Amino acid sequence: MDENILKSLDSSEKEDLQRGLKILIEQTYVIENEYKQLSENYISLTRTMDEVVEVLPMALWILDANKKITLQNNLAKQQPKLIENIDLEKTHYELEFDHKFYLIKVTSHIDKLIVSATDISDEKRNERLASMGTVAAHLAHEIRNPIGSISLLSSTLFERSELKNKHIVLEIQKAISRVERIVNSTLLFTKGVHINLNNFNLLELQDECEQAIGAYNYTANIDFNFDFLDFKISADKSLLALVLQNLLYNAIDAIEESENEHGQIKIKCEQGEDKIFIKVYDNGVQIKDKKMVFEAFKTTKLKGNGLGLSLSKQIIDAHNGILGFEENPKCFFIELKI
């Protein structure tokens, strides 16, 4: 303000001016504090929103008008190919991608698209297994009776056949035995696994494996090497024998699918401090789809119904053990606590 003007003011006017300036300064201070508080609140709100976006149980993208990603959470960043397979023209649908199922939702807001993908693989898997299990159980019951009759008749036929024809009947019986195994495994899978613990020597499983080989129909030239421990455990012997049978048959099938002229299958049993390890090695074809190994009703084998490994895993899980596989050297292993 001009100094001459100040000098022309009387004392009362000067006081009024001072009060006005003081009020203006105080209001400016208040406004400045409010602005700072709003800025802090905005930063806090932005941080909270980011945290909320990150903890959402879904992959989330925000796209601009040009369909470019402007924001995405960590789940979305972990699956960069997923957004490329989402149809942005659909607002609500299910997508199968990379062996998983996702519920996709696309929402338009002003000039942006909000895209979310929720993993519903477990729900779809349970739904599919329930449906397939019902059908499988019904078929297994329908097949069981005629197979029983055929098995009985084949035994009679074997007794009455000439010696030169008995090998034909034996092949028929092996084929019947395979169908019976599939039926029994299907019924066991659909009903659920319940173990009956009993004490037995691991060497008894070696006898079960030798019998299983004799009952299986294969043409490959295979050497079998069994190295079981003379050791007693508490487990369900019949179910563990079924697991080893499944692993043996998978190994045989893998060798028959390979180009190896000489197949090798080895079962080795080892004892740890408080665990038993049973490993089944083979030199057949490598595992083709590692993500689907223990998935029910899915198989890449030329023979099989996709239940053996899934059922085997259920059995080992019921024993509070672990069924897994290694790639180099190729083997499936069973880990049981003792």
Side-chain angles (χ1 to χ4, degrees):
M1 184 175 291
D2 190 280
E3 187 177 347
N4 293 326
I5 296 176
L6 287 174
K7 290 180 179 179
S8 65
L9 298 176
D10 58 26
S11 58
S12 176
E13 290 174 331
K14 288 182 180 179
E15 289 178 1
D16 290 340
L17 179 59
Q18 288 175 347
R19 281 195 296 268
L21 289 173
K22 183 179 179 182
I23 292 172
L24 180 60
I25 292 171
E26 290 176 349
Q27 289 177 344
T28 302
Y29 179 75
V30 170
I31 292 172
E32 184 180 356
N33 282 340
E34 289 179 349
Y35 174 77
K36 289 181 179 179
Q37 187 63 46
L38 284 172
S39 298
E40 291 174 0
N41 290 342
Y42 175 77
I43 294 172
S44 177
L45 180 60
T46 302
R47 188 181 297 116
T48 301
M49 289 178 65
D50 289 342
E51 292 173 354
V52 170
V53 168
E54 289 302 332
V55 299
L56 288 174
M58 64 184 71
L60 184 70
W61 299 266
I62 296 180
L63 312 181
D64 62 19
N66 296 318
K67 307 295 176 62
K68 299 295 183 181
I69 298 173
T70 59
L71 177 67
Q72 59 182 331
N73 62 3
N74 281 331
L75 283 178
K77 293 175 183 176
Q78 292 169 13
Q79 304 171 87
K81 297 292 184 181
L82 178 56
I83 186 64
E84 298 175 9
N85 289 270
I86 293 177
D87 187 348
L88 300 177
E89 301 301 320
K90 297 181 180 179
T91 59
H92 191 283
Y93 74 104
E94 291 181 5
L95 170 68
E96 184 176 3
F97 174 74
D98 195 24
H99 304 300
K100 290 186 176 183
F101 288 90
Y102 296 92
L103 178 62
I104 306 299
K105 292 184 178 180
V106 181
T107 306
S108 178
H109 180 69
I110 309 176
D111 60 343
K112 298 185 183 300
L113 284 180
I114 302 173
V115 184
S116 66
T118 305
D119 189 342
I120 56 171
S121 301
D122 289 341
E123 292 83 349
K124 294 293 291 185
R125 177 181 179 276
N126 293 336
E127 179 184 317
R128 184 177 67 250
L129 286 179
S131 177
M132 296 177 72
T134 301
V135 175
H138 176 73
L139 290 175
H141 279 294
E142 292 296 320
I143 293 171
R144 172 177 269 183
N145 289 335
I147 285 297
S149 300
I150 295 171
S151 179
L152 182 61
L153 291 171
S154 68
S155 298
T156 303
L157 181 62
F158 182 80
E159 295 173 358
R160 297 183 180 182
S161 297
E162 297 181 12
L163 182 60
K164 63 180 182 180
N165 295 326
K166 286 187 182 294
H167 73 281
I168 299 175
V169 182
L170 284 174
E171 292 303 313
I172 294 173
Q173 289 180 329
K174 286 183 178 181
I176 293 171
S177 177
R178 181 164 178 261
V179 175
E180 288 178 331
R181 286 196 304 273
I182 293 173
V183 169
N184 292 333
S185 294
T186 302
L187 291 174
L188 182 59
F189 179 82
T190 55
K191 290 178 180 178
V193 174
H194 303 283
I195 61 175
N196 295 310
L197 297 179
N198 52 79
N199 295 319
F200 66 93
N201 196 303
L202 286 172
L203 290 175
E204 296 177 42
L205 289 178
Q206 180 168 328
D207 295 334
E208 296 282 349
C209 290
E210 291 170 351
Q211 292 177 27
I213 292 170
Y216 200 59
N217 191 12
Y218 64 94
T219 57
N221 180 25
I222 302 175
D223 282 341
F224 295 92
N225 184 352
F226 297 151
D227 183 12
F228 281 83
L229 292 174
D230 183 3
F231 185 81
K232 285 190 175 183
I233 65 170
S234 177
D236 191 314
K237 175 185 169 183
S238 61
L239 290 181
L240 287 186
L242 178 59
V243 172
L244 287 174
Q245 172 187 289
N246 288 334
L247 296 180
L248 272 173
Y249 293 164
N250 278 355
I252 292 172
D253 293 345
I255 289 173
E256 291 203 311
E257 290 181 35
S258 72
E259 297 179 355
N260 291 332
E261 295 181 359
H262 194 78
Q264 293 183 332
I265 294 177
K266 179 180 180 180
I267 299 181
K268 184 174 180 59
C269 189
E270 300 173 344
Q271 181 181 352
E273 184 176 345
D274 59 347
K275 295 177 182 177
I276 287 290
F277 299 91
I278 304 175
K279 297 186 176 183
V280 182
Y281 298 88
D282 74 78
N283 63 341
V285 294
Q286 291 295 318
I287 298 168
K288 296 175 184 176
D289 193 340
K290 301 173 186 60
K291 294 181 179 179
M292 292 285 121
V293 169
F294 299 111
E295 189 74 16
F297 301 108
K298 292 197 175 183
T299 180
T300 58
K301 296 195 322 178
L302 299 177
K303 296 192 290 185
N305 61 350
L307 265 185
L309 287 176
S310 180
L311 177 59
S312 297
K313 191 171 189 314
Q314 281 192 20
I315 292 171
I316 300 303
D317 286 346
H319 282 83
N320 295 317
I322 297 173
L323 176 62
F325 63 91
E326 298 172 352
E327 296 183 75
N328 190 22
K330 179 193 173 188
C331 81
F332 280 85
F333 64 86
I334 300 168
E335 179 182 320
L336 296 172
K337 294 180 180 179
I338 55 175

